[in-house]
Amino acid sequence: MISKVLIANRGEIALRIIAACREAGLATVSIHSEVDRDSLHVRLADESVCIGPAAANASYLNITAVIAAAEITGADAIHPGYGFMAENAHFAEIVQECGMTWIGPPPDAIRAMGDKANARRTVTARGVPVLPGSTEPLTSREDAAAVAETIGYPVILKATAGGGGKGMRVARDSRELKQVFDTARHEAEKAFGNGDVYLEKYLTAPRHIEIQVLADSQGKVVALGERECSIQRRHQKLIEEAPSPAVDAELRQKMCDAAAEAAAAVGYVSAGTVEFLYDDGQFYFMEMNTRIQVEHPVTEAVTGVDLVLEQLRIAGGQPMSVRRRPRLNGHAIEFRINAEDPVTFAPSPGEITELALPGGPGVRVDTHIYRGYTIPPNYDSLVAKLIVHGASRREAIRRAKRALGMFVIGGVRTSIPLHLRILEEPDFVEGRLSTGFMERFATRE
Ligand code: ADP
């Protein structure tokens, strides 16, 4: 059993975890950097410890400082949230070696899925479909060209240690592949300290459809249905929804089975997400995210399952409360509201001078901002998530327009106007989605 949880994160997800801990009757400890002193997660946790200067490397990514904060406060568990150290197997091991509970998957499962080339091999062995590609890291341009010839262009190079869209490069022919091979390796080396890359077939306009899974330490694995996250900019998600307009009951069953198989293959425990690309009636495993995701609330809305509360139960050794795949209720859409210019996407940090949050039927807002709060330039630009829920996709869209139209954030530029424009797009309204949506949207203007 656990009784006091240290949250190794900041922003909206820190608040989300505090909320779940309060419902579970668990005490909370927050950590913060010097620029985050006035953050809501500091005020709302039972205790808070300053762990270093603004730079993430010196604070939220500083293992020694985070562990020390847990020991000083007597925390017996650590929840990593998403980003920062959520998928750091080494950190998870240290937490466990210090006698604390890691609220996340076993370190070996993180490692097995964290190496994307290894993940591809592992799930393939269990019959989960993957895109044609290389099974081992590529050693040279010639090696890459040979694989590309056999599967056909276009291809995409990816960092085996990848994440966040870094180290990914598309090549349309052998000349382009030669040009981008070194760049991709370089970028991977810089971002992850590991320059290994592999390649797979590139789909030009697929849908990104992912499956939420929960697994407990009793060996039960349940897939909770899909989220469609095809509205992306530079491979970063902007809008996510559940269910997907492209998925029927038969496809859902197949994808849920494949996701549960992938999770079981690595002995998964806790909440995780298996990501697929879907094109022309076929789905292909892309990767597994071994953590809670930004877009988890849309699944919560349509299933009624509190995913973070389940993570706490599971980490405490209890069986998860979900016994089988929940029936889906209505339709939910999440809009990521970033402090950035809606046209150029340049970050727009600064003071929030005015704030009015929308509410009413079917509206949830997860945010850490308040009037007078200053968004620091040091971290990501996500300032709020608007999640709307309706009986149908149409109703969810109507509620989204109403809620975005009543969402007031003064002092910084945000992506609210961009979301309102996307909601007017016939392709979006009709559910004709693909990862190429934003590119078409931008070039048409
Ligand atoms: P990361 O871990 O960096 O986010 P992913 O492997 O999850 O990388 O891919 C992110 C996005 O990149 C996908 O949602 C999709 O839009 C695009 N992508 C990745 N692989 C392919 C592919 N083989 N074909 C087309 N698009 C791809």
Side-chain angles (χ1 to χ4, degrees), residues 116 120 131-132 154-156 158-159 161-168 170 192 198-209 229-230 232 234-237 275-277 286-287 289 291 434-436:
K116 293 187 175 193
R120 271 171 65 90
L131 281 164
V155 295
I156 183 169
K158 293 185 175 184
K166 292 197 193 87
M168 291 197 320
V170 178
F192 314 109
Y198 68 100
L199 68 73
E200 65 184 25
K201 181 89 189 161
Y202 181 72
L203 303 173
T204 47
R207 287 171 178 258
H208 173 118
I209 300 176
C229 316
S230 298
Q232 305 178 345
R234 294 201 191 138
H235 307 306
Q236 302 283 358
K237 298 162 187 168
E275 297 190 327
F276 296 98
L277 287 177
M286 202 169 23
E287 63 168 340
N289 291 142
R291 54 172 156 83
S434 85
T435 57

Side-chain angles (χ1 to χ4, degrees), residues 97-400:
E97 280 161 15
C98 291
M100 289 180 273
T101 300
W102 168 249
I103 305 175
D108 284 343
I110 300 179
R111 217 166 254 133
M113 286 300 184
D115 178 326
K116 293 187 175 193
N118 179 62
R120 271 171 65 90
R121 283 193 301 273
T122 307
V123 305
T124 307
R126 303 279 277 225
V128 176
V130 299
L131 281 164
S134 54
T135 43
E136 300 295 332
L138 303 161
T139 50
S140 65
R141 290 177 180 188
E142 291 68 34
D143 189 15
V147 179
E149 281 317 318
T150 60
I151 62 175
Y153 288 93
V155 295
I156 183 169
L157 283 167
K158 293 185 175 184
T160 58
K166 292 197 193 87
M168 291 197 320
R169 282 286 185 283
V170 178
R172 272 157 245 282
D173 51 44
S174 60
R175 226 194 60 227
E176 249 181 38
L177 182 63
K178 287 209 176 89
Q179 282 166 4
V180 297
F181 186 75
D182 293 332
T183 324
R185 282 187 58 97
H186 237 88
E187 215 175 280
E189 177 67 45
K190 229 178 96 194
F192 314 109
N194 173 355
D196 283 354
V197 294
Y198 68 100
L199 68 73
E200 65 184 25
K201 181 89 189 161
Y202 181 72
L203 303 173
T204 47
R207 287 171 178 258
H208 173 118
I209 300 176
E210 59 188 32
I211 302 286
Q212 175 71 54
V213 298
L214 274 178
D216 62 23
S217 52
Q218 281 73 22
K220 189 164 183 67
V221 183
V222 175
L224 286 90
E226 81 281 3
R227 294 186 284 262
E228 169 146 12
C229 316
S230 298
I231 308 295
Q232 305 178 345
R233 194 190 140 263
R234 294 201 191 138
H235 307 306
Q236 302 283 358
K237 298 162 187 168
L238 266 180
I239 300 177
E240 303 100 343
E241 57 184 291
S244 159
V247 175
D248 61 15
E250 190 189 331
L251 178 60
R252 180 169 302 119
Q253 185 63 53
K254 280 193 191 146
M255 293 185 78
C256 282
D257 289 346
E261 203 55 54
V266 295
Y268 203 80
V269 175
S270 190
T273 299
V274 183
E275 297 190 327
F276 296 98
L277 287 177
Y278 176 74
D279 191 36
D280 207 15
Q282 298 293 319
F283 63 88
Y284 308 94
F285 171 89
M286 202 169 23
E287 63 168 340
M288 180 168 191
N289 291 142
T290 53
R291 54 172 156 83
I292 192 79
Q293 280 185 298
V294 176
E295 59 271 26
H296 77 275
V298 291
T299 299
E300 296 188 321
V302 296
T303 61
V305 175
D306 183 325
L307 292 167
V308 181
L309 207 50
E310 292 300 327
Q311 284 189 300
L312 298 176
R313 286 179 63 97
I314 293 167
Q318 292 170 266
M320 64 174 123
S321 65
V322 189
R323 300 324 297 159
R324 66 187 68 82
R325 179 147 65 83
R327 211 175 54 84
L328 302 181
N329 169 26
H331 199 96
I333 313 177
E334 175 180 277
F335 299 83
R336 296 193 189 195
I337 298 174
N338 298 320
E340 64 188 18
D341 188 289
V343 179
T344 64
F345 297 104
S348 176
E351 186 185 336
I352 309 283
T353 53
E354 231 189 322
L355 182 68
L357 301 182
V363 172
R364 164 177 171 183
V365 179
D366 281 16
T367 184
H368 59 290
I369 61 172
Y370 55 87
R371 196 164 69 88
Y373 172 70
T374 299
I375 303 164
N378 314 79
Y379 313 107
D380 73 13
S381 58
L382 182 75
V383 288
K385 306 189 304 202
L386 167 70
I387 303 102
V388 294
H389 185 208
S392 63
R393 191 168 185 271
R394 258 170 213 286
E395 185 175 62
I397 288 177
R398 277 202 302 276
R399 287 185 163 160

